[in-house]
Amino acid sequence: MRYLLVLLLLASCTTDPKQNESYTAKVIQTSIQRKAVSDTTFLYREVTPEYYHKVYIERNRQSEVYKRLLDFRPNDDERKYYQECCKKLRQITNVPSQQFKLIGLPKEWLPLYRYHGKYYVYAPSEWGGLERKTITDSTMVYWFMDGPSPEPLLGARKLSSNTYYLKIHTSGASNLPAKLTIHIIDAKNKIAVWEDQSASIANRYNLYVPRENARNFDMVVNYCKEQRTDEFEFDKVDYTALLNSSQ
């Protein structure tokens, strides 16, 4: 009887090495997943059985949300919309196409934001409102909900090593050209204050960063699984102080 008990005990303690390896791998994976969650900085989080909304800081530059943010390639619908806009421009404007050389000015731009003294790029709840912009040698391309919409450049020049001026045709009701000055206030990261002198004071200034420099910054992600939500409110920026400090 004692011999039988010893055999049963040995049998219960002896397991397949592959099973041990599998169990160890699961433990390690679970530990990594828990660490990833614990390392995540949540700015807002609401979880119910029917609803999951979170705003968090993404630091992984290789994450899918980073790749999506930096992908300026239009899909088929956006490409079609762009072609229709170009066709419409040719029909309703007599603006001749002009090409300008803006040496040193990046072409693809993303909005930049400040929160608690740090700069962030942003993945919004509504990706159609991302407000990306593309500058070509002859157009300013605004990315709206439906896709990229071009406007002809009427004038462009480099004012200094870190300042550019663009005069842009607008198809709005006023039909007055936009006068845009791009102040690059950070030579390393290419952080820029975009000053639209034709806009109201409330909408005159915005922060932008070139696509190729966007990975220099952490990202705030506004994610809701079930529906669109209000966008995250960042800090207000004192643009006057920001421009003065860069001089």
Side-chain angles (χ1 to χ4, degrees), residues 112-119 183 185 191-195 201-202 204-207 234-247:
L112 192 67
Y113 302 88
R114 284 183 70 173
Y115 183 68
H116 288 187
K118 288 188 63 178
Y119 289 108
H183 309 268
I185 62 172
I191 298 173
V193 173
W194 285 36
E195 179 186 2
I201 294 296
R204 179 163 296 183
Y205 298 98
N206 289 282
L207 279 173
F234 291 90
D235 296 339
K236 292 183 178 180
V237 177
D238 186 339
Y239 288 101
T240 301
L242 198 59
L243 288 170
N244 289 338
S245 66
S246 66
Q247 294 177 355

Side-chain angles (χ1 to χ4, degrees), residues 175-231:
N175 206 31
L176 295 175
K179 298 177 181 179
L180 176 68
T181 303
I182 299 176
H183 309 268
I184 298 178
I185 62 172
D186 182 330
K188 178 182 177 181
N189 296 303
K190 302 297 183 185
I191 298 173
V193 173
W194 285 36
E195 179 186 2
D196 186 350
Q197 297 168 340
S198 54
S200 64
I201 294 296
N203 300 309
R204 179 163 296 183
Y205 298 98
N206 289 282
L207 279 173
Y208 273 85
V209 65
R211 181 186 62 81
E212 57 265 30
N213 295 88
R215 277 198 172 96
N216 294 353
F217 304 93
D218 292 338
M219 178 193 297
V220 171
V221 181
N222 188 1
Y223 171 81
C224 185
K225 183 178 180 180
E226 289 78 14
Q227 63 190 37
R228 296 289 184 265
T229 67
D230 292 337
E231 299 300 347

